[in-house]
Amino acid sequence: MNRPRSLSPKKQRQLMEKRGIIFPKNTHKQDAEKIQEIGYYKLKEFAIPFSVKKGKRLRYKNLTFANLLKRYYQDKNLRIYLLHAIENVEVYLNNLIATLLGDKYGAFGYLEFKEWCDRSIPKFEIEEKQFYFKNNLLKEMKRSNLPDIKAPNNQNEDGFPSVWTMVDCLTFGESIFLFSIMSKKNKEKISNVFDLTPRELYSCLKCLNMIRIVCCHNSNLIDISIRTRSSMPHKYKNVLFKVNGNYTNRVALVITLVKYFLNKINPKYNFNNIYYALQSLIDNDDNEAHRLGFKNKNAIKFL
C-alpha cells in the first residue's frame, strides 16, 4: 500500500506543474512560498473544476497558477461580503420574531410554546422543544454581551429574558427553528413581510443559513452545489443559468436570494463588493459565469 509522502512546497509546485497547472517562468521560489502560505490541498480544492482524470492520474486543463490564486482570494472575499449581507437578514428576522411574539403574547409569552406554536405538532414534542430551548437559552444568556439581557427589569422570576432581548442569544438556525414551529397565522405575518409564502420563506432561510455556515468555516463557496434547491425569487430567474431545464444550484442562486431579501430590508444596501468579486471571477467569460450559475457574463449587473 502506497502511503502519502511528505513533499516540500517546492516539490508541491513541481507536482502541480507536472499535472498541468501553468506557472510563470522564474517564479519558483515565490510560487512555493504561496503554496506554503495557503496550503497545497486548499489550492487543489479550487483547481477541481479544471481537473480531468486520465486513468489514475489527475490532470488540469486551461488553469494558470495566477487564476488559481484569484479563485482562492476572490472566494475568500465573496464569503466575507456575503456573510455581512446574510447577517442583515438574520438580525431583521430576529426583530420580526421579537416584535410578533412580544406584541401578541407579551414579554415572556414566548416561553410558553403551546401559545404560539403550530397545534398540529404533538403536545409532547412541543414540551420537549420548549425544554431544550429554555435550557440552551439560559446557557447562551451567560455568554451574551448585551447588558440589558441581564438587567433584573428585563427578566422574569425564573431569570429568563424578555423576548426583545432573548433574540440576541439566537443563532440564525435557532431563529429559523422558531419560525418553523410557529402557527400558520404567525408564519404568514412574517413571510408576508418578504412577499413569500411560509414554505418559500423557510426554504430560502435554510439555504441562507447553510451558506452562512460555509462562509464562517473557510469552505469553498464559489464551487458549491446546493443539494436541495431553494425556492427562488421569480424576479431574478432571468439571471440564472439553466441546465436540462432546471435552474442552477450554484452560488448564483444564493446571491439572488441575498439580493431579494436585502431589497426588502434595506433597498440602499451596497452590493459593490459582491459585484466586483464576481466580476473578477467571471473575467468577461461566459463559461466562468456558467460555472458560478449565472446565465452569462453580464448577468451580475442586476446587483
Side-chain angles (χ1 to χ4, degrees):
M1 176 180 176
N2 291 328
R3 294 184 178 276
R5 294 180 295 118
S6 175
L7 295 179
S8 67
K10 181 180 177 181
K11 293 286 186 181
Q12 290 170 351
R13 181 203 180 281
Q14 291 174 356
L15 182 59
M16 283 181 164
E17 189 169 39
K18 182 180 178 182
R19 290 177 172 175
I21 292 178
I22 303 165
F23 286 84
K25 294 180 180 179
N26 304 319
T27 60
H28 292 63
K29 183 180 178 182
Q30 298 96 306
D31 298 338
E33 288 173 351
K34 188 58 67 173
I35 293 170
Q36 175 69 29
E37 174 190 332
I38 298 171
Y40 171 81
Y41 285 104
K42 178 54 69 175
L43 287 170
K44 184 179 177 183
E45 179 184 8
F46 282 92
I48 286 174
F50 300 85
S51 65
V52 291
K53 274 210 167 182
K54 290 190 174 181
K56 293 184 178 181
R57 295 184 178 182
L58 196 67
R59 298 285 297 173
Y60 300 105
K61 283 190 173 182
N62 304 318
L63 179 61
T64 65
F65 189 60
N67 192 45
L68 179 58
L69 292 178
K70 181 176 73 174
R71 298 191 92 244
Y72 170 78
Y73 283 117
Q74 291 303 339
D75 176 86
K76 186 176 183 178
N77 289 337
L78 195 58
R79 281 188 284 109
I80 292 168
Y81 304 141
L82 275 179
L83 181 60
H84 181 277
I86 291 171
E87 283 180 347
N88 281 264
V89 181
E90 178 182 357
V91 170
Y92 193 74
L93 177 64
N94 283 350
N95 290 332
L96 288 177
I97 290 172
T99 300
L100 172 66
L101 296 181
D103 287 352
K104 288 186 71 174
Y105 308 100
F108 304 103
Y110 75 95
L111 295 166
E112 294 295 332
F113 278 29
K114 64 183 180 182
E115 297 297 325
W116 54 269
C117 282
D118 185 346
R119 293 185 180 178
S120 68
I121 302 174
K123 184 179 178 181
F124 78 91
E125 283 190 25
I126 291 296
E127 290 175 351
E128 182 181 43
K129 293 178 192 299
Q130 177 181 298
F131 171 80
Y132 284 111
F133 173 80
K134 291 169 75 171
N135 190 51
N136 188 60
L137 178 57
L138 290 175
K139 294 177 184 176
E140 292 300 325
M141 279 181 66
K142 295 177 182 178
R143 301 189 187 103
S144 176
N145 292 319
L146 184 69
D148 286 329
I149 203 170
K150 295 169 185 175
N153 62 313
N154 277 325
Q155 295 181 358
N156 69 2
E157 58 276 11
D158 295 320
F160 287 99
S162 67
V163 66
W164 303 287
T165 55
M166 173 276 293
V167 291
D168 181 68
C169 292
L170 297 179
T171 65
F172 196 17
E174 288 167 339
S175 303
I176 296 168
F177 160 73
L178 291 182
F179 172 78
S180 73
I181 62 173
M182 285 182 177
S183 67
K184 182 180 178 183
K185 285 186 178 180
N186 286 336
K187 283 181 183 175
E188 287 174 346
K189 285 198 172 184
I190 292 178
S191 59
N192 286 344
V193 173
F194 301 104
D195 294 323
L196 297 171
T197 67
R199 180 174 290 186
E200 287 171 338
L201 178 57
Y202 182 57
S203 172
C204 292
L205 292 175
K206 284 201 303 179
C207 180
L208 291 182
N209 188 43
M210 184 268 290
I211 295 301
R212 188 188 187 285
I213 293 168
V214 169
C215 291
C216 288
H217 290 87
N218 194 31
S219 300
N220 183 336
L221 177 64
I222 59 175
D223 296 317
I224 197 169
S225 290
I226 301 167
R227 292 184 181 179
T228 304
R229 282 182 173 83
S230 165
S231 298
M232 70 182 74
H234 292 280
K235 183 177 180 180
Y236 299 122
K237 282 187 175 181
N238 63 318
V239 305
L240 297 176
F241 187 52
K242 289 179 82 172
V243 181
N244 299 323
N246 295 316
Y247 285 100
T248 185
N249 63 343
R250 313 293 289 192
V251 70
L253 172 59
V254 178
I255 292 166
T256 60
L257 289 180
V258 170
K259 173 69 173 173
Y260 178 84
F261 276 91
L262 286 179
N263 275 2
K264 297 290 183 182
I265 296 168
N266 177 14
K268 294 182 179 180
Y269 188 85
N270 191 333
F271 282 88
N272 282 349
N273 286 331
I274 294 174
Y275 174 81
Y276 292 130
L278 292 172
Q279 190 178 51
S280 177
L281 285 164
I282 291 171
D283 197 22
N284 210 33
D285 186 336
D286 280 339
N287 289 327
E288 291 302 315
H290 296 164
R291 200 187 304 279
L292 296 173
F294 289 103
K295 185 176 182 179
N296 53 48
K297 63 189 178 185
N298 295 316
I300 61 172
K301 290 181 178 178
F302 81 103
L303 290 168

